[in-house]
Amino acid sequence: MTSIAKPQIPLLPLERNQLGLTIRDYSGSMSTLCAGCGHDSVTAAIQEALWGLSIAPYQVAKLSGIGCSSKTPQYFDSAAVGFNSVHGRMAAVASGAAAANRDLVVVGVSGDGDSLSIGLGNLAHAIRRNVRMLYVIANNGVYGLTKGQFSASADIGSRSRKGEPNLLPPVDPMLLGLSLGATFLARGFSGDKAQLVPILKAGLSHGGFALVDVISPCVQFNDHEGSTKSFRYVREHELQDIDADIIPVRGQIHSEQTPGSVTEVELHDGSRVLFRAVPEGYDPRDRVRVGSYLVESARRGEIATGLLYLDETTPDMHQVSATTQDRLWDLPFDRLCPGSAELAKFQARLR
Amino acid sequence: MAELAPRRTLVPIPVTDVEDPSYFHKVVDCQWACPAHTDVPQYIRLIGQGRYGDAYLLNRKSNVFPGILGRTCDRPCEPACRRGRVDGDAVAICRLKRVASDLREDVGSGLPRAAEAKNGKRVACVGAGPASLTVANDLMPLGYEVTIFERQQLPGGLMRTNIPAFRLPAQVLDEEIAVILDMGVDIRYGTEIRSMRELLQMGYDAVFVGSGAPRGKELELPGRHDEVGETHIHIGIDWLESIAFGHVNKVGRRVLIIGVGNTAMDCCRSSRRLGGEDIRVMARRPRQYFKASPWELEDAEEEGVQIVVNHAPRRFLVEDGRLVGMEFDQVEWDEGAVHSKTVGTVRIDCDDVILAIGQENAFPWIERDLPLEFSSPQLAAVDEVTMQSTIPGVFFGGDAAFGAKNIIWAVEHGHQAAISIDNHCQGVSAAQRPAQTMRLTSRKMGITQWSYHNDYNPHGRQEMARVDLKRRFERLNLEVELGFGPEETAREVQRCLNCDIQTAFQAPLCIECDACIDVCPVRCLTIIRPDWADEEELRTRLNAPAENRSQAIFVSEALPQTGRVMVKDENLCVHCGLCAERCPTAAWDMARFELGIPYAGRPAEVG
Ligand SMILES: Cc1cc2nc3c(=O)[nH]c(=O)nc-3n(C[C@H](O)[C@H](O)[C@H](O)COP(=O)(O)OP(=O)(O)OC[C@H]3O[C@@H](n4cnc5c(N)ncnc54)[C@H](O)[C@@H]3O)c2cc1C
Ligand SMILES: Cc1ncc(C[n+]2csc(CCOP(=O)(O)OP(=O)(O)O)c2C)c(N)n1
Ligand code: SF4
Ligand code: SF4
Ligand code: SF4
Ligand SMILES: [Mg+2]
């Protein structure tokens, strides 16, 4: 908590996006998280990405489960619709929202506990369906809200604040995603917005399920010596040799120069991702190579970050199910619910 | 760790030295702009707490005349005020000073007292204006015997003779001057000093010249020195003096004021009170180039005075031995008002003309064959720091030193001259100046609790109530402004942004979590790799470009985890404390900055 709300300074010179809005127009209420919590930086990065892409604030649906991380949708984009689901069920609710209104920009924020422990099944199937949404896991290795128990992303040997080591192997959401056919996989760090914001922008422009794992230290329960998700540990072990730029079709256009020798991937809305630097032999579209890169870097004790995997060819949920182009609320009621006579006819066909 | 590899050769970064008192002092925009460095935010805070006497005394320490200045100060602090950059209107600093003065309880015990024993040194001051009075204020408590020679029968200088009583009541002037004179100053009224040589021979240990800039500028145009000219064309400052002493009590119906500075404003408003009905202030240049303070112009216009721009005087019109009017060139100006061209002439009828086109220094009483050098025909050569002339032991201050300024500058000159005089009399070089000091004390009370009011109050600047126009001209000396009431005061004190509560940073504690960066409502913080070429480049690379070059950029030492540095643009920080509230390690703190200002015989002290 803070003692006061952010002062609204009338003369503040703020940059405007294509909609004429400033970053302030994407803000929410004041955070009630612990001072210094990584999740607040994730919030700031999401806000910056939405603003930078000139996404209309009301066009956004922000969803979450339960946890400190899941509280954060409250802290950005007050004009959006929001849904705070039960623990671990955000992916299901988000799938429904995306199905009902294909124009929504769906942003889910969850935690490692919410997504990788209780919610793992829901997450797995949203990945499989390739629901078009940005799914952020603010990953701190603990259940912050319930006072710091190890979560399913805690590394073996990482120690709790009291010194006990974690004995179970971690779920790596990137490897999990690869195995389930995810189409966009990226990892960032709350302490590095210069990298995180472009990743989030790419995820928001992606034509399917964009899974972004953000290492987001819990200053209260997991930022001590012995933790592998502390600010210091991540800074010392971060492997940042994949360097990608996003050139969005909407939003702010910055340097448009395409550098030489880049791998370029076009996103569904026409935005482009340019991989400026990748390790020798790395192809962000090659599942097998990406998989081995992740396993190898993890074995070396490194945390690989960047836009790791990207596939724009797999159809998303709407395409697979050949759903209507209309938002469901735009359909006349007799089309949405054709009545019992139609139902009887349909059932007759199945007899 | 790729992120940590330097992209460019690191240049040694200039880490900001926050122990230099001038760094944080500059952040307190008003205090920095005030010639006497009044601790504005603290006196505003004291007013907010109802401690009017303490607020008065804090003011008095640096500016000596809070009641007078609370009504008349030129307010260099207000254009500098941070609040102006935030919502367009400065805090009404000056009017709050008046609140402290109006509502002060008995402050007797906090006022200076003459030393019990004299130190045997005698100082002569020429003139009893604010400059000399400040010298006496500072030296009497140290045991000096101060003698003031004043040509007039009353003390105060231009504050008495030129600032009209409807802006500054005599009682306010008397009270604050009495505090100084009652310490036992030997004041000789009706005594004009006619020879510097003789004065120097009178055996004083030091001489202070605070005789002002007494000569109003002439306008040598045809008709000026005709017989009528002498009776119906007046020099503004002399005319105001005649009003102050009751020698003039009426003016013609139609009055032209030539010039558009603050003197012109006092002349036109005085005319309004002496029977003038059709009063025009004639300006050569367009409005944005006026010297008068905007609030003085507003006051004059409210009272029905017309301000006429782009008219250059040509001649006085005298018919049948009577001043009947003036002829003006109508002019047009180019961009920037550098060159003008005449586009016509016009006659404007009038009964009286008042010339208010500036003041000059004149020292007919200083012999030019003394070792006292002059830097121009009108001005003695005076050192800007020590106020010493080329004769050791002879000092100048106020309008006499560098030409006409204002009261607060006269006070500051007086303080500096007093230090020099004390040095001189104690055998120390005037050039040896005592240092300023500083103190920082945390305002932290709890995790999100501060011992200062950190919330932002969106209220606009409060208007001051004035005497109704119908009643305003009943008496010549009826004070127009009524002072702030409790509600205006309560709102106005909360508009202050607490610039003295500094964001104090300790790099070794920072874990680079970005919490402060994210929460700052004005985006004035940036954590950045120290690889910029110069401050100009740095200014463009911050989260929000730092375009106000008059404001400092803070650069920390290297942060422990990445070697990057914390950078803060001081320009728009609203001192809300949110960075310190969100910092998990207390690397940021909100700490009150106090500037220790040295005075004569009293080294700088804080608190
Ligand atoms: C019309 C007008 C309005 C003004 N309004 C404001 C205002 O609102 N706010 C503001 O801050 N400033 C204002 N000023 C300016 C301000 O009054 C002066 O800057 C200030 O008073 C200068 O102080 P001083 O001590 O240098 O000299 P002065 O105030 O000029 O005092 C000099 C004294 O020395 C005496 N003296 C001169 N020569 C001799 C001599 N040879 N022997 C003995 N005595 C002598 C004079 O009689 C006088 O009393 C105004 C000035 C004018 C003309
Ligand atoms: C069904 C259910 N089971 C358990 C809980 C208790 N609980 C609340 S938050 C939480 C874990 C949150 O961890 P994570 O998603 O990592 O969020 P963080 O607080 O670390 O950001 C748990 C187990 C609950 N609210 N609901
Ligand atoms: S407990 Fe941890 S995750 Fe929760 S708000 Fe505090 S620092 Fe953030
Ligand atoms: S006090 Fe801190 S948070 Fe507030 S404006 Fe200043 S730097 Fe920003
Ligand atoms: S909040 Fe504190 S620890 Fe975090 S970056 Fe700012 S100063 Fe450093
Ligand atoms: Mg967690």
Side-chain angles (χ1 to χ4, degrees):
Chain A
M1 273 305 274
T2 47
S3 62
I4 57 167
K6 275 198 195 193
Q8 298 293 305
I9 309 299
L11 287 185
L12 193 63
L14 287 174
E15 213 184 322
R16 294 186 179 273
N17 66 12
Q18 285 176 351
L19 302 175
L21 301 177
T22 70
I23 190 96
R24 265 195 201 165
D25 299 312
Y26 293 79
S27 54
S29 56
M30 288 300 276
S31 169
T32 57
L33 300 183
C34 303
C37 177
H39 300 347
D40 282 332
S41 294
V42 180
T43 303
I46 294 174
Q47 195 177 329
E48 175 117 26
L50 291 171
W51 170 79
L53 288 178
S54 296
I55 292 170
Y58 58 83
Q59 207 190 338
V60 174
K62 45 179 192 178
L63 303 101
S64 63
I66 299 292
C68 297
S69 36
S70 292
K71 286 170 72 177
T72 63
Q74 179 74 20
Y75 313 139
F76 64 87
D77 197 355
S78 291
V81 290
F83 198 109
N84 212 177
S85 82
V86 285
H87 202 15
R89 300 295 177 262
M90 181 267 280
V93 180
S95 304
N101 183 348
R102 52 162 67 226
D103 293 346
L104 281 178
V105 176
V106 181
V107 178
V109 187
S110 174
D112 42 324
D114 194 60
S115 286
L116 305 178
S117 299
I118 191 170
L120 189 63
N122 277 242
L123 170 62
H125 294 288
I127 295 176
R128 284 182 59 242
R129 287 199 184 94
N130 203 20
V131 178
R132 205 165 87 212
M133 71 178 294
L134 172 68
Y135 192 110
V136 177
I137 300 175
N139 186 346
N140 53 18
V142 287
Y143 299 161
L145 192 69
T146 53
K147 295 202 179 309
Q149 302 83 352
F150 288 121
S151 77
S153 73
D155 294 305
I156 295 182
S158 181
R159 288 181 183 270
S160 73
R161 213 165 59 165
K162 284 189 181 154
E164 301 116 27
N166 174 48
L167 303 174
L168 300 179
V171 177
D172 177 349
M174 300 291 95
L175 283 169
L176 176 77
L178 273 184
S179 71
L180 292 168
T183 54
F184 182 111
L185 293 166
R187 181 146 47 213
F189 171 39
S190 69
D192 184 0
K193 284 198 209 68
Q195 182 198 44
L196 181 56
V197 172
I199 287 177
L200 295 174
K201 284 183 181 171
L204 286 163
S205 309
H206 173 59
F209 192 85
L211 182 60
V212 182
D213 178 29
V214 187
I215 312 294
S216 171
C218 169
V219 287
Q220 194 64 253
F221 299 111
N222 209 9
D223 195 39
H224 45 270
E225 229 173 297
S227 157
T228 58
K229 294 228 172 6
S230 67
F231 280 107
R232 183 176 285 280
Y233 187 91
V234 176
R235 288 203 165 96
E236 285 168 355
H237 295 81
E238 191 181 2
L239 176 63
Q240 245 199 19
D241 49 15
I242 299 171
D243 197 356
D245 267 353
I246 160 108
I247 302 188
V249 282
R250 50 181 178 177
Q252 306 282 315
I253 308 298
H254 291 300
S255 68
E256 291 316 298
Q257 278 297 312
T258 305
S261 80
V262 296
T263 309
E264 182 175 328
V265 180
E266 190 172 315
L267 300 181
H268 91 114
D269 67 353
S271 303
R272 288 174 298 149
V273 173
L274 306 180
F275 289 85
R276 281 189 279 117
V278 289
E280 192 70 40
Y282 190 92
D283 180 350
R285 291 161 298 193
D286 181 339
R287 255 169 103 172
V288 180
R289 284 282 167 75
V290 173
S292 58
Y293 174 78
L294 287 174
V295 173
E296 280 161 19
S297 56
R299 191 188 295 142
R300 289 196 303 271
E302 290 166 344
I303 306 167
T305 60
L307 209 179
L308 303 166
Y309 177 74
L310 185 49
D311 160 21
E312 278 290 294
T313 59
T314 302
D316 82 326
M317 175 178 72
H318 283 288
Q319 290 165 314
V320 169
S321 311
T323 58
T324 167
Q325 292 298 312
D326 297 316
R327 299 177 293 192
L328 298 191
W329 75 10
D330 286 338
L331 293 177
F333 186 72
D334 54 354
R335 270 194 68 204
L336 197 60
C337 181
S340 37
E342 284 296 320
L343 179 63
K345 269 196 238 164
F346 176 72
Q347 285 171 328
R349 289 217 310 263
L350 300 177
R351 290 219 172 87
Chain B
M1 295 278 287
E3 151 69 356
L4 307 186
R7 280 181 214 122
R8 283 205 284 183
T9 340
L10 294 189
V11 289
I13 46 156
V15 173
T16 304
D17 176 12
V18 294
E19 314 230 304
D20 174 350
S22 66
Y23 182 76
F24 282 138
H25 181 190
K26 193 157 179 257
V27 175
V28 193
D29 296 285
C30 47
Q31 190 177 21
W32 181 256
C34 173
H37 305 312
T38 304
D39 188 349
V40 175
Q42 178 66 3
Y43 87 63
I44 291 183
R45 202 169 292 124
L46 291 170
I47 292 171
Q49 295 165 0
R51 294 166 60 189
Y52 306 109
D54 290 337
Y56 181 88
L57 288 174
L58 182 65
N59 264 288
R60 197 188 182 287
K61 206 169 114 182
S62 49
N63 60 46
V64 186
F65 304 107
I68 295 170
L69 289 163
R71 292 166 167 86
T72 61
C73 190
D74 257 358
R75 319 176 186 171
C77 53
E78 292 192 13
C81 172
R82 184 172 300 264
R83 184 77 191 207
R85 303 198 291 278
V86 161
D87 71 359
D89 283 313
V91 173
I93 297 170
C94 185
R95 335 212 94 166
L96 288 173
K97 197 190 306 295
R98 174 169 169 186
V99 170
S101 166
D102 286 354
L103 302 185
R104 69 186 192 264
E105 52 278 14
D106 179 21
V107 292
S109 60
L111 296 172
R113 252 182 297 242
E116 304 214 328
K118 293 287 168 198
N119 69 359
K121 303 286 181 185
R122 295 164 61 236
V123 177
C125 297
V126 184
S132 293
L133 289 169
T134 302
V135 171
N137 177 73
D138 288 6
L139 294 182
M140 290 304 291
L142 303 180
Y144 286 85
E145 281 173 58
V146 179
T147 302
I148 300 181
F149 299 99
E150 170 56 58
R151 174 171 66 194
Q152 306 283 5
Q153 296 299 336
L154 287 169
L158 290 178
M159 303 191 297
R160 165 107 41 202
T161 60
N162 264 242
I163 299 183
F166 59 83
R167 286 208 287 129
L168 176 59
Q171 179 220 339
V172 175
L173 201 55
D174 291 341
E175 258 176 36
E176 291 192 324
I177 294 177
V179 170
I180 299 168
L181 297 183
D182 290 353
M183 283 192 277
V185 175
D186 168 25
I187 181 152
R188 317 254 179 101
Y189 293 116
T191 312
E192 177 164 354
I193 296 295
R194 294 215 168 79
S195 159
M196 178 63 112
R197 178 170 285 119
E198 282 171 25
L199 179 62
L200 291 176
Q201 284 163 357
M202 287 164 77
Y204 286 97
D205 294 290
V207 167
F208 177 77
V209 179
S211 57
R215 187 187 284 163
K217 282 196 187 143
E218 260 300 346
L219 185 64
E220 296 297 352
L221 290 178
R224 169 68 180 100
H225 299 291
D226 292 2
E227 212 175 309
V228 276
E230 296 295 343
T231 49
H232 289 277
I233 303 173
H234 319 275
I235 302 242
I237 62 167
D238 300 340
W239 185 69
L240 288 170
E241 182 180 310
S242 305
I243 298 172
F245 289 121
H247 307 319
V248 165
N249 51 23
K250 62 176 189 305
V251 74
R253 192 178 64 79
R254 298 164 305 172
V255 187
L256 293 183
I257 320 284
I258 310 299
V260 72
N262 290 340
T263 303
M265 296 302 111
D266 285 337
C267 290
C268 66
R269 295 179 70 193
S270 297
S271 303
R272 183 76 178 79
R273 286 159 174 78
L274 296 181
E277 287 167 18
D278 176 357
I279 304 161
R280 300 181 205 205
V281 174
M282 307 301 296
R284 286 163 54 89
R285 305 195 343 136
R287 198 172 176 115
Q288 67 264 42
Y289 302 99
F290 290 0
K291 282 216 194 91
S293 319
W295 58 87
E296 296 219 53
L297 283 163
E298 281 164 27
D299 291 343
E301 288 187 310
E302 186 192 4
E303 295 181 0
V305 171
Q306 284 183 63
I307 314 267
V308 183
V309 297
N310 298 343
H311 279 64
R314 257 173 87 95
R315 60 190 178 109
F316 298 97
L317 301 174
V318 181
E319 284 170 15
D320 305 329
R322 225 164 54 87
L323 176 76
V324 293
M326 273 188 83
E327 199 171 274
F328 292 88
D329 281 339
Q330 292 167 300
V331 294
E332 267 175 21
W333 295 88
D334 59 359
E335 191 98 16
V338 188
H339 305 287
S340 64
K341 68 168 191 272
T342 303
V343 293
T345 45
V346 58
R347 168 187 164 141
I348 300 179
D349 294 342
C350 68
D351 304 311
D352 281 279
V353 173
I354 298 162
L355 304 177
I357 47 182
Q359 271 165 273
E360 279 171 336
N361 287 72
F363 296 102
W365 54 279
I366 299 185
E367 296 82 355
R368 301 301 148 114
D369 58 353
L370 293 169
L372 196 146
E373 284 169 28
F374 273 67
S375 59
S376 75
Q378 279 97 31
L379 287 174
V382 176
D383 184 282
E384 285 190 20
V385 177
T386 62
M387 311 309 292
Q388 188 162 255
S389 69
T390 52
I391 303 182
V394 176
F395 303 89
F396 282 66
D399 290 357
F402 312 112
K405 290 195 174 183
N406 55 31
I407 301 169
I408 190 65
W409 268 114
V411 168
E412 176 59 10
H413 288 169
H415 283 315
Q416 295 309 319
I419 291 175
S420 301
I421 292 169
D422 186 41
N423 278 5
H424 178 80
C425 293
Q426 309 303 325
V428 177
S429 154
Q432 206 167 310
R433 310 308 286 180
Q436 291 188 339
T437 59
M438 64 174 272
R439 179 167 73 184
L440 275 183
T441 41
S442 175
R443 296 292 100 174
K444 199 175 178 78
M445 298 217 299
I447 294 177
T448 56
Q449 261 190 311
W450 304 101
S451 57
Y452 76 103
H453 197 276
N454 64 327
D455 205 354
Y456 175 80
N457 190 327
H459 266 297
R461 184 179 163 113
Q462 301 298 295
E463 291 287 332
M464 178 169 281
R466 295 147 210 257
V467 175
D468 192 76
L469 274 173
K470 286 202 204 85
R471 284 195 42 230
R472 196 177 288 181
F473 312 115
E474 281 171 7
R475 274 186 294 124
L476 179 59
N477 58 0
L478 184 70
E479 187 174 20
V480 173
E481 294 186 337
L482 296 172
F484 273 159
E487 267 150 40
E488 289 102 345
T489 302
R491 279 197 283 267
E492 198 60 37
V493 292
Q494 288 192 5
R495 294 187 70 242
C496 172
L497 294 169
N498 302 292
C499 300
D500 61 335
I501 310 294
Q502 306 285 350
T503 50
F505 185 68
Q506 288 186 63
L509 295 181
C510 176
I511 57 169
E512 298 169 63
C513 68
D514 267 10
C516 54
I517 313 285
D518 295 335
V519 82
C520 176
V522 293
R523 296 161 82 78
C524 67
L525 304 176
T526 306
I527 297 181
I528 185 174
R529 181 189 315 282
D531 62 357
W532 55 88
D534 53 20
E535 191 185 292
E536 257 324 285
E537 185 197 323
L538 173 62
R539 283 175 173 274
T540 62
R541 283 177 51 192
L542 302 178
N543 283 334
E547 275 151 12
N548 185 346
R549 274 154 189 82
S550 66
Q551 293 280 323
I553 301 277
F554 163 85
V555 178
S556 78
E557 310 151 46
L559 303 179
Q561 291 195 10
T562 66
R564 298 180 299 170
V565 294
M566 180 71 75
V567 176
K568 178 178 180 221
D569 172 14
E570 297 286 3
N571 181 31
L572 280 183
C573 171
V574 288
H575 299 258
C576 63
L578 286 177
C579 51
E581 286 188 18
R582 294 308 286 165
C583 178
T585 66
W588 284 113
D589 188 18
M590 302 308 290
R592 178 155 112 81
F593 165 80
E594 287 163 277
L595 180 70
I597 305 175
Y599 295 101
R602 286 180 289 158
E605 55 178 45
V606 286

